[in-house]
Amino acid sequence: MKKLLLLCALFVAAPVVFAQDYYGLQEYGLRKNTTRVELYGGMVLPQDSWSHNGQEVDLGTTGWTAGIGFTRNIISFFSLGLDANYAQLGDGDTFTSRGMDSYYRTGIATGLVTGRVTFFPSQATRLYIPFGAGVGHMFARQKFDDGSHLTTSSTDLAQMVGLGLEFDIDDSTIFGVEGRYYLVEADSDFKDAFGKSRIHYMNVMLKLGWRF
């Protein structure tokens, strides 16, 4: 009789155990009609210096970048969103201007409408291609050793394309690494000052995201 009762108890307990295991599984991967918020941070790698009117122009060296993105999955492998990014270049080389030592300190802010194509969207590890277009604002501030400065700015079209790899930490948190190439058009004032109709640079960033 005891053996019969024990056998019945096992049959009753088994579905409960299996149900706990099933519902305890993490829900990895991307799904349609879900939203992600992502924070980025890393390095900006600007283009090399160039010559303009017989003088070398160096708007800055390797610096830092940070940004935030909001993305909505239309379907599992394609999403649309908004992205804001700021890149602060490192100070450029010192040169002589107006009889004083000076250097350039340059920043670039972009606001983009973005798209993203994701490969292996149902997996916990995914490869993706982000892209976007919008507005870019650049400023190049020439700082003199007497404390004065002269700023040239530009607001025009900005474009971006990149490549990223991300991992699901759990069912709501994402960690990843992403590289982006930016191309920002320069308006006439910026072009006249520096001899460039567009500025390009690379961002290499880590990201942390949350989906809901």
Side-chain angles (χ1 to χ4, degrees):
M1 186 65 179
K2 290 182 179 180
K3 291 182 178 180
L4 182 60
L5 291 174
L6 180 60
L7 186 60
C8 291
L10 289 174
F11 275 113
V12 171
V16 176
V17 173
F18 290 140
Q20 288 177 345
D21 288 342
Y22 177 79
Y23 290 109
L25 292 176
Q26 302 285 359
E27 294 186 358
Y28 294 124
L30 301 179
R31 293 167 177 80
K32 68 177 182 179
N33 298 326
T34 57
T35 302
R36 295 191 310 278
V37 178
E38 298 173 330
L39 302 177
Y40 303 86
M43 297 188 304
V44 54
L45 309 173
Q47 68 187 104
D48 294 335
S49 58
W50 64 91
S51 178
H52 177 55
N53 293 334
Q55 187 175 27
E56 185 176 288
V57 179
D58 180 9
L59 291 184
T61 58
T62 300
W64 60 268
T65 182
I68 183 171
F70 298 88
T71 307
R72 180 76 173 174
N73 268 79
I74 308 302
I75 52 179
S76 62
F77 63 87
F78 181 74
S79 60
L80 293 173
L82 297 173
D83 183 274
N85 180 270
Y86 178 75
Q88 177 66 63
L89 278 60
D91 293 342
D93 292 335
T94 301
F95 62 97
T96 301
S97 176
R98 301 181 180 178
M100 294 181 289
D101 288 342
S102 65
Y103 61 89
Y104 284 111
R105 179 170 293 172
T106 304
I108 308 172
T110 59
L112 307 178
V113 176
T114 58
R116 178 177 134 163
V117 177
T118 302
F119 302 95
F120 320 113
S122 62
Q123 303 301 311
T125 300
R126 299 175 293 275
L127 186 70
Y128 62 92
I129 298 175
F131 55 91
V135 177
H137 175 77
M138 302 183 289
F139 71 87
R141 181 168 295 125
Q142 185 178 3
K143 299 179 72 70
F144 298 92
D145 59 5
D146 66 352
S148 62
H149 65 268
L150 177 65
T151 301
T152 304
S153 61
S154 168
T155 302
D156 213 309
L157 175 67
Q159 303 167 75
M160 177 273 292
V161 66
L163 180 66
L165 181 67
E166 65 183 15
F167 314 88
D168 287 334
I169 297 176
D170 55 33
D171 56 358
S172 62
T173 308
I174 300 169
F175 176 79
V177 59
E178 186 172 317
R180 295 181 177 183
Y181 172 79
Y182 282 85
L183 183 65
V184 182
E185 302 289 339
D187 65 17
S188 57
D189 290 343
F190 206 91
K191 181 180 178 181
D192 291 343
F194 303 111
K196 281 286 185 179
S197 59
R198 55 184 58 178
I199 301 297
H200 59 88
Y201 57 97
M202 289 283 297
N203 283 355
V204 180
M205 305 177 291
L206 298 178
K207 77 169 185 180
L208 188 63
W210 299 267
R211 56 185 175 183
F212 50 90

